[in-house]
Amino acid sequence: MRGRHLLALAMVALQGTTASAQDKIIDQSISYALKPAIWRSPLVEARSTTPDYGLIGAIRPLSGDEPDHVMALRLQRQSRRFVAAQADTAWPLNARGYDHRPRSRTRMLLVDDHFALSDQIAMTIGFAGVKVSNRNANVTIGSGDDRLRAHDWFMPHASVHFRPIPALTLSMDYNEAMRAYGDTGFTGPLGLSRPDFEALRRSLRPEKSRVASVGGQWSGGDMTVTTSLYRADVRNGLSFAHRAYLPVNIGSASLLGVKMMARHQLTPQIDWSVRYQQAAVETMTGRSVQEREMTLAAAWTVGPWRVAAQGSHTGRAALALPGAQQSPLRAEGSIEYAPVQTGRRRLRLAARFINPSRLVSNGAFGPAPAGSVHAVDQARAVMFSADMGW
């Protein structure tokens, strides 16, 4: 059985003497993997060669120490709700004992089958499922059971990696994903009249995306060059106005784009990279927009420490609310400490400063393209995380 992988976000709560409630996060996940060691192939690590386009703080690829056939199943449930900070009746039960505190719950299912067809070809097929449920979404209505819900239990994905020579890996990928609003009662709870809430529930849709791409990665000495050409469809994109917490569908679009990256290991401790992406975006309203972004990044690693920073110049977003366009210059950074990285045992602590891009061409390739979307996902923030496995 494969080690449990838990990624928890540490949040700091400030309480005064009059505070009566706090946000509590419960994250439960379980993973299983069947890994029969029959024979080994040079391509066992091919599934990790999908280009990483500089997501600050992204978990590093796994090492190629696994057998040629891996079947994996992962189930995860995360619940977020308010709990009383003191033993009082700030959130009393009703006459039937029903707890009507606002709660957001996300359930995720992931099924993967990774196998090597030969010494040069490896393949991954599987599907994902997501359900997001926000109970008592409208905090002004009362103690009912009004919900905002969305689910999709079958979102397939597949990839094929072909390595004609040791330095070159070619890949084809297909992926479907869904994101739904999951912030009720925690960051800007909804406070609407009954007609306004019913109108929102009828009109709000989950964001769904489909991405197909072909690409390649060449590695030689201290240099790595990757490129990818993709075709994507985004339906009912979810976004938030500047400093607002009410979710809005901003429209749908079709994209045809390219991503390129070059990374150089300057010294054993220092590496730097340059990335460029461009996408032709056709919105459902008939508007055509070119999205572009250029990024420079650098990282310094010594022992268990890693410090990374990047700066980006970003063009105008094709789908964005009025007033939500961000500055063309963005900066991000992270500090990581990983004292344990041996075999299946790992411990990594990280602090990140993020300033997420609002480009629709970046949204489908983010670190969490499926699951819940929160207002803070589109805001500048400092985040702390822990990645543990034993």
Side-chain angles (χ1 to χ4, degrees), residues 294-339:
M294 173 72 77
T295 301
L296 291 175
W300 173 73
T301 305
V302 56
W305 292 94
R306 177 178 174 85
V307 180
Q310 71 178 36
S312 303
H313 185 276
T314 304
R316 186 176 180 83
L319 298 178
L321 293 168
Q325 292 285 355
Q326 63 187 163
S327 169
L329 298 178
R330 296 188 302 112
E332 299 184 84
S334 69
I335 300 176
E336 301 177 13
Y337 178 64

Side-chain angles (χ1 to χ4, degrees), residues 25-251:
I25 301 176
I26 302 175
D27 193 332
Q28 301 165 314
S29 64
I30 188 169
S31 301
Y32 296 95
L34 301 178
K35 303 188 291 186
I38 301 176
W39 55 283
R40 298 192 60 80
S41 160
L43 268 185
V44 292
E45 75 280 10
R47 59 177 164 170
S48 300
T49 61
T50 301
D52 170 15
Y53 293 98
L55 296 170
I56 286 291
I59 296 175
R60 301 172 198 169
L62 297 174
S63 61
D65 60 352
E66 299 186 15
D68 295 314
H69 192 184
V70 178
M71 297 181 63
L73 169 66
R74 178 172 180 175
L75 301 173
Q76 182 180 27
R77 184 180 75 170
Q78 183 185 82
S79 296
R80 305 182 65 204
R81 66 172 68 197
F82 277 126
V83 296
Q86 301 174 359
D88 54 23
T89 57
W91 292 92
L93 302 180
N94 64 11
R96 297 181 180 179
Y98 175 71
D99 183 359
H100 57 264
R101 290 173 293 181
R103 183 197 69 197
S104 289
R105 175 170 290 172
T106 302
R107 299 177 178 89
M108 298 185 67
L109 165 69
L110 179 64
V111 179
D112 265 335
D113 189 3
H114 174 79
F115 50 93
L117 300 177
S118 70
D119 287 348
Q120 295 179 303
I121 302 175
M123 186 172 184
T124 299
I125 58 175
F127 70 93
V130 176
K131 180 179 181 180
V132 180
S133 176
N134 302 313
R135 188 183 70 188
N136 291 336
N138 192 358
V139 297
T140 62
I141 288 179
S143 59
D145 192 20
D146 296 288
R147 297 176 184 249
L148 290 174
R149 287 184 286 193
H151 71 274
D152 190 335
W153 289 115
F154 185 73
M155 296 177 289
H157 58 263
S159 63
V160 179
H161 299 276
F162 172 56
R163 182 172 293 173
I165 59 175
L168 179 64
T169 301
L170 306 177
S171 62
M172 294 187 299
D173 297 88
Y174 176 80
N175 185 69
E176 294 185 9
M178 185 199 83
R179 300 194 305 168
Y181 174 69
D183 231 5
T184 301
F186 307 102
T187 304
L190 300 180
L192 303 173
S193 66
R194 169 65 68 175
D196 289 339
F197 176 71
E198 293 294 345
L200 175 68
R201 183 157 56 181
R202 288 192 302 267
S203 61
L204 188 64
R205 296 290 183 267
E207 176 184 310
K208 294 190 175 184
S209 62
R210 296 180 296 176
V211 181
S213 64
V214 294
Q217 175 176 293
W218 175 83
S219 300
D222 298 330
M223 288 290 299
T224 300
V225 178
T226 63
T227 184
S228 178
L229 178 67
Y230 67 90
R231 179 74 168 82
D233 293 300
V234 178
R235 296 292 179 267
N236 302 307
L238 275 176
S239 186
F240 302 84
H242 180 59
R243 303 190 70 177
Y245 304 105
L246 188 67
V248 178
N249 287 124
I250 55 177

